[in-house]
Amino acid sequence: MRFDRFLISLVASVLTIQAYCQVAIPKPTHLQVNWQKRETTAFIHFTVNTFTDSEWGNGSESPQIFNPEKLDARQWVKALKDAGFRMVILTAKHHDGFCLWPSKYTEHSVKNSPWKNGQGDVVREVTDACREFKVDFGFYLSPWDRHERTYGTPVYNEFYKNQLKELLTNYGEIAEVWFDGAKGKNEKDMQYDFDGYWKMVKELQPKAVIFSDAGPDVRWVGNEKGNAGEICWSSISTDGMMPGVADSKYLNTGDENGKKWIPAETDVSIRPGWFWHAKENDKVRSAKNLVNLYYQSVGRNSLLLLNIPPNNQGLFEESDIKAISDFRTILNETFAANYLKGSVSAKLTDNKLTSYAIFKKNVPVEFSLKKQMTFDRIMLQENIHNGQSIKSGFFEYWDGKEWQLISSFSTIGYKRLLRFPQVTASKIRLTITDAKVENQLELAEVGLYKASSGE
Ligand code: FUL
């Protein structure tokens, strides 16, 4: 090759690599997009703790204490469906090791309880109810097992996988499997075979997303208070991370330069504890409090995983049902009418991520309303099918003489919700001030709303 041709091809290769690096931002799989579109998922914590008034059982509880005489999984799932929850994640086994299904591999389960004379299966009842009400199902099978004798030895991994396999093969489609890295203080020696567990999930339930501190599909948000970061990237780098060994601040905000798409799931309980306690019956979060959690999780590019624990009769308390029902009513009222509909490009108000408008950095875009309106909420969505890019921006309104700031924002991602004092105007404008890509900012949705009086 002649030297000048060599130079030309070298320059061309460098430019191609550069261009590639600029656009090579992590992107979600369809499963991850579908997961995030559910927005609100319910957690159900239920085990022997429900009968012993504790949060962590020690594994020596007798199965004889498990007797939820009025258990009605249809009541749980119907209440959740009515309140707009799209998936249920059940604690099939918590740290105490008691199995809510009759596992072949242990005696520590419903089969040795008085409930239904040992013939019952809570996992079956919940999955049946989920199919009936068209709600997706997932489970949490705690790796930490304080009952099982083999725990702490490599044999335990086989025991755990056997149980995992039972749940993955006998209950139809599984939408999410939830893992934590909890271990006792003196049990540091237990090396969980997470790679092996996850491989099994992928093989047996290819449509399930896997949750843990470190993904691989969705990550912990880093706290149990219901707070995603003000800045919240769906990308992180997982080098050196393991469930139970992760930097919670890093998980909370994600990482703009993270190599993998692993969005944040915000788990929080409707009560102070994860399990039902009679003494917490008057400490159920109000609907308004739950709405605030929605803004702090879904409204910051995360998903809200809200725990509602059944009581020792096997029923959701009416107070909890009312709170989630009123929560959804408030959200439905607030987001019923997008004031921008009909006055901006239909692509921005059609509720589809894949139909988007292209924005440029530092080029303000005006939106005129049909008339003067009073509003106090804004919703933004990026077309996350192509990744997450926007880092910052602000909204202004026209007061008749000049532009006034409404609110600034940082990351958007799947969804960003802004709350601010009421503004009355007929014209607003949006300026995106920083983003990972220069000029191809794919904004899928913009919404302008007036909050319900429930807030
Ligand atoms: C933690 C557990 O230790 C808590 O009991 C609860 O289940 C929470 C959701 O996950 O790891």
Side-chain angles (χ1 to χ4, degrees):
M1 197 191 282
R2 279 180 36 196
F3 185 66
D4 54 347
R5 283 214 198 130
F6 169 74
L7 265 186
I8 291 170
S9 78
L10 184 72
V11 170
S13 319
V14 169
L15 288 178
T16 316
I17 291 168
Q18 261 188 354
Y20 179 77
C21 289
Q22 271 181 12
V23 294
I25 59 175
K27 292 179 186 177
T29 61
H30 279 284
L31 280 180
Q32 288 171 314
V33 175
N34 289 344
W35 165 87
Q36 191 140 21
K37 281 185 177 169
R38 288 192 194 96
E39 293 200 352
T40 52
T41 292
F43 221 165
I44 297 185
H45 273 66
F46 190 52
T47 182
V48 285
N49 297 346
T50 311
F51 302 84
T52 58
D53 200 15
S54 54
E55 280 288 306
W56 281 5
N58 61 22
S60 69
E61 296 80 10
S62 163
Q64 288 298 314
I65 60 173
F66 185 84
N67 196 13
E69 281 175 343
K70 295 192 180 145
L71 188 138
D72 182 2
R74 293 183 73 258
Q75 184 234 23
W76 312 351
V77 180
K78 183 176 184 308
L80 294 170
K81 172 80 182 196
D82 290 348
F85 289 84
R86 312 267 300 273
M87 169 153 57
V88 163
I89 299 182
L90 175 69
T91 53
K93 175 178 92 168
H94 202 251
H95 307 329
D96 50 77
F98 182 81
C99 298
L100 292 184
W101 82 103
S103 171
K104 273 200 296 202
Y105 301 97
T106 180
E107 292 304 304
H108 200 50
S109 84
V110 282
K111 74 183 173 199
N112 287 316
S113 78
W115 178 59
K116 298 199 166 175
N117 294 319
Q119 301 302 304
D121 180 344
V122 182
V123 178
R124 176 78 58 215
E125 299 204 11
V126 176
T127 47
D128 284 351
C130 284
R131 310 293 171 230
E132 179 184 343
F133 292 104
K134 298 200 167 37
V135 170
D136 294 326
F137 176 79
F139 63 83
Y140 166 30
L141 180 70
S142 165
W144 188 21
D145 186 326
R146 304 178 82 184
H147 178 83
E148 171 55 27
R149 271 185 308 108
T150 60
Y151 186 87
T153 73
V155 178
Y156 175 76
N157 280 319
E158 293 314 307
F159 170 85
Y160 183 86
K161 280 187 224 166
N162 284 333
Q163 293 194 327
L164 188 59
K165 192 166 181 185
E166 287 183 316
L167 293 171
L168 292 171
T169 50
N170 291 331
Y171 297 93
E173 198 165 295
I174 305 296
E176 182 163 340
V177 185
W178 211 88
F179 293 92
D180 67 358
K183 323 182 163 177
K185 281 205 182 75
N186 304 321
E187 288 156 330
K188 291 236 159 58
D189 297 343
M190 181 65 224
Q191 298 294 320
Y192 299 129
D193 176 19
F194 283 113
D195 287 341
Y197 307 164
W198 297 344
K199 191 161 161 269
M200 180 181 275
V201 174
K202 292 288 170 198
E203 269 167 22
L204 298 174
Q205 291 283 348
K207 290 192 187 153
V209 293
I210 298 176
F211 167 100
S212 88
D213 289 356
D217 300 314
V218 298
R219 72 174 196 262
W220 186 40
V221 77
N223 65 62
E224 291 175 344
K225 294 189 215 131
N227 260 313
E230 263 290 341
I231 293 176
C232 191
W233 292 97
S234 289
S235 45
I236 55 169
S237 292
T238 54
D239 313 325
M241 258 192 214
M242 283 285 286
V245 190
D247 173 349
S248 51
K249 275 202 186 125
Y250 181 79
L251 296 179
N252 193 242
T253 58
D255 179 353
E256 178 186 334
N257 300 311
K259 291 184 217 134
K260 295 182 189 162
W261 185 275
I262 307 181
E265 181 168 286
T266 303
D267 60 322
V268 59
S269 186
I270 196 168
R271 289 158 169 256
W274 291 101
F275 290 90
W276 175 85
H277 307 284
K279 60 177 181 287
E280 292 180 356
N281 278 346
D282 59 355
K283 295 198 170 61
V284 178
R285 288 177 190 269
S286 65
K288 185 174 162 181
N289 182 300
L290 296 176
V291 168
N292 183 46
L293 293 184
Y294 178 87
Y295 280 98
Q296 291 179 174
S297 54
V298 178
R300 292 184 191 158
N301 189 33
S302 183
L303 175 141
L304 177 60
L305 173 59
L306 181 70
N307 179 62
I308 300 107
N311 64 18
N312 58 358
Q313 300 280 293
L315 293 170
F316 278 181
E317 295 276 352
E318 285 306 321
S319 52
D320 303 43
I321 295 179
K322 182 162 182 353
I324 56 172
S325 163
D326 292 351
F327 152 78
R328 186 59 61 178
T329 303
I330 294 171
L331 291 179
N332 287 346
E333 282 172 10
T334 297
F335 296 107
N338 179 354
Y339 294 169
L340 292 176
K341 207 162 188 149
S343 53
V344 301
S345 157
K347 289 178 178 168
L348 287 172
T349 56
D350 61 1
N351 285 321
K352 282 195 203 125
L353 294 178
T354 45
S355 81
Y356 52 85
I358 303 280
F359 283 64
K360 291 185 176 156
K361 266 203 259 183
N362 291 313
V363 178
V365 175
E366 280 184 36
F367 303 119
S368 295
L369 303 172
K370 287 181 193 136
K371 54 177 177 132
Q372 285 251 332
M373 301 293 271
T374 298
F375 49 87
D376 52 12
R377 300 285 186 270
I378 287 176
M379 188 269 297
L380 289 161
Q381 291 190 283
E382 276 181 85
N383 172 29
I384 54 164
H385 288 278
N386 285 334
Q388 182 182 2
S389 179
I390 296 168
K391 294 189 204 180
S392 61
F394 58 88
F395 272 96
E396 295 162 297
Y397 71 95
W398 182 249
D399 73 358
K401 288 197 197 102
E402 53 192 345
W403 291 104
Q404 303 282 358
L405 182 69
I406 299 176
S407 178
S408 51
F409 57 87
S410 52
T411 47
I412 299 177
Y414 166 73
K415 190 172 269 190
R416 180 76 192 206
L417 295 171
L418 306 174
R419 291 179 282 185
F420 47 87
Q422 285 185 4
V423 167
T424 302
S426 60
K427 208 157 63 168
I428 62 170
R429 72 177 184 182
L430 164 63
T431 309
I432 293 168
T433 46
D434 201 4
K436 281 169 84 169
V437 295
E438 265 316 297
N439 285 322
Q440 281 285 318
L441 308 177
E442 299 181 3
L443 206 60
E445 294 292 305
V446 183
L448 189 65
Y449 310 92
K450 165 82 186 58
S452 140
S453 56
E455 294 191 31

